[in-house]
Amino acid sequence: MFERRLYFHIDWALLIAILALCALGVMMIFSATAGTPSTSRMYMTQLYAIAIGLGAMVVTLTVDYRAFTDKSHLIYIGLLAALLYVAFLGDVQMGARRWIPIGSFNLQPSEFAKVGVALVLAKFFGENRGVPTWTDLAIGGALTCLPLALIAREPDLGTAVTLLPVFLAIAYLAGMQMRILGFLFAAFVVAAPLAWQFALKDYQKTRINTFLDPSQDAKGAGYQQIQARITVGSGGVRGKGFRQGTQGQLRFLPVAHNDFIFSVLAEEQGFAGVIVALGLYLFVILRTIESARLAKDRLGSYLVLGVLASFTFQVVYNITMSAGLAPVKGLTLPLMSYGGSSMIATLAAFGLVLNVRMRRFTN
């Protein structure tokens, strides 16, 4: 449990940067949704999610991270149970079955999968003292692919893919050889045509095609990508000002408060605002890498890098997507996009990061 002397080892700089990104996100959500009665209170919902997320962060910060990894198998089983419940009894919205309704709140278990997988893989590879064998990698891959398959079935391929960086980062840190990474990449290249033919759904193929040439369906599948590029480019150096953007305010950009919150920031705050946001994200990433380096044991390092890998992948993909440089995918920008489950899961995950760094001097 939490000891008073550990208070002095909390990484306050990392915590402040995280809270600054949350505050920036709330401002952009308020701007993107203002003026529409059905969405004008979304920023308040986001504030509630931040409050709950900070409560979750306090829990994951105060309890020794080794206690979480010791019980990671139970957390993992609970995660699979929640995903199975969603698969058969979950709430359907916009053609996807992803949520468990709890009163007025919709819980999305897939957002917590990243934390659950990071915990169970950190424990599994942390207990193996040698270089991972093919058997170890196969078991770690299976632990990753079970929730990945359930999430992809919802369907939510974007969130499902965020589990792969968790596995690759922890396995690489545990000693997986580069030639194995090369083999996996080659296998991916070979399997890509088969996946295109048999695994990808029609709407997923359409997204890739319109990414390559959005103009072929400018009013349909390519609309979001075209509008995202226009929104980012229209901000210029200084931006149009808070709540002065045309793309977000006039609803030309769909789901601006969620997937394309970064585009709203670029339009209203311009290049200067983008640099501030990117600087905060870079600071969080570098500070988290330092936490992994300072961890007192392999378990802590694996856990921190697992959390960071998923976070970094999601940040990079969302920002490139918002600039029209990647196919449109339902992948939120952590700490800024609207979404209660995403916010709570992300803050809880960074509670574990702060936990590992804070306890680097304990026995």
Side-chain angles (χ1 to χ4, degrees):
M1 295 298 291
F2 190 79
E3 302 174 33
R4 182 171 297 179
R5 64 188 177 87
L6 294 178
Y7 172 86
F8 299 100
H9 300 301
I10 295 176
D11 189 354
W12 294 105
L14 175 59
L15 181 58
I16 290 171
I18 290 170
L19 293 177
L21 285 169
C22 292
L24 188 59
V26 170
M27 288 175 58
M28 292 300 100
I29 291 169
F30 174 77
S31 178
T33 59
T36 304
S38 60
T39 61
S40 60
R41 304 292 291 177
M42 279 186 173
Y43 76 96
M44 288 299 300
T45 304
Q46 188 77 347
L47 286 173
Y48 294 143
I50 292 172
I52 297 172
L54 290 175
M57 176 185 279
V58 170
V59 173
T60 56
L61 172 66
T62 54
V63 179
D64 195 318
Y65 65 90
R66 289 166 294 188
F68 286 107
T69 54
D70 286 343
K71 303 297 182 183
S72 61
H73 59 290
L74 298 178
I75 296 173
Y76 182 79
I77 292 171
L79 169 67
L80 291 181
L83 291 174
L84 284 170
Y85 179 90
V86 168
F88 296 101
L89 301 172
D91 189 34
V92 178
Q93 296 181 24
M94 297 177 291
R97 191 185 298 272
R98 302 176 184 174
W99 296 271
I100 299 176
I102 304 175
S104 59
F105 179 74
N106 287 324
L107 179 69
Q108 189 173 352
S110 58
E111 291 291 346
F112 297 88
K114 292 166 277 191
V115 185
V117 170
L119 283 167
V120 75
L121 290 181
K123 179 183 180 182
F124 174 73
F125 285 105
E127 289 178 346
N128 295 327
R129 290 297 175 182
V131 175
T133 64
W134 283 101
T135 302
D136 295 331
L137 295 175
I139 295 173
L143 290 172
T144 306
C145 287
L146 278 174
L148 187 152
L150 290 171
I151 295 170
R153 183 183 180 276
E154 293 178 355
D156 189 0
L157 186 59
T159 303
V161 170
T162 61
L163 300 184
L164 292 179
V166 179
F167 167 71
L168 293 175
I170 294 177
Y172 178 75
L173 191 64
M176 182 175 65
Q177 298 175 357
M178 287 298 296
R179 62 184 179 86
I180 297 178
L181 277 176
F183 173 81
L184 292 174
F185 178 76
F188 171 79
V189 172
V190 172
L194 295 175
W196 177 270
Q197 188 68 29
F198 301 107
L200 292 182
K201 299 181 183 299
D202 290 338
Y203 77 91
Q204 293 168 335
K205 295 178 182 179
T206 301
R207 283 181 175 178
I208 295 175
N209 287 327
T210 52
F211 163 67
L212 299 174
D213 184 13
S215 62
Q216 65 178 291
D217 190 9
K219 295 184 179 180
Y223 179 78
Q224 284 181 306
Q225 190 165 352
I226 293 171
Q227 292 301 319
R229 290 179 180 177
I230 293 173
T231 304
V232 172
S234 65
V237 176
R238 297 184 179 181
K240 296 179 178 179
F242 183 63
R243 294 189 63 186
Q244 299 302 311
T246 55
Q247 294 294 110
Q249 291 291 316
L250 299 179
R251 309 295 184 265
F252 288 114
L253 182 63
V255 290
H257 61 288
N258 191 270
D259 297 345
F260 292 97
I261 196 69
F262 192 82
S263 300
V264 176
L265 172 71
E267 181 185 31
E268 295 190 1
Q269 306 305 319
F271 183 72
V274 166
I275 290 298
V276 170
L278 291 179
L280 286 171
Y281 276 115
L282 181 60
F283 180 83
V284 168
I285 291 169
L286 294 178
R287 200 75 176 182
T288 304
I289 292 174
E290 185 181 15
S291 297
R293 183 179 62 83
L294 295 175
K296 67 176 183 177
D297 54 18
R298 290 154 42 102
L299 185 65
S301 295
Y302 295 170
L303 177 57
V304 171
L305 260 296
V307 169
L308 177 63
S310 177
F311 176 82
T312 303
F313 172 82
Q314 200 164 337
V315 168
V316 171
Y317 191 92
N318 181 277
I319 290 175
T320 53
M321 178 189 74
S322 297
L325 301 176
V328 173
K329 199 68 196 155
L331 207 58
T332 59
L333 181 59
L335 301 175
M336 283 187 62
S337 289
Y338 176 80
S341 296
S342 174
M343 179 62 71
I344 295 168
T346 303
L347 290 177
F350 274 104
L352 292 171
V353 173
L354 294 168
N355 192 329
V356 171
R357 186 185 182 105
M358 181 180 67
R359 285 185 162 82
R360 65 189 185 277
F361 298 121
T362 60
N363 295 323

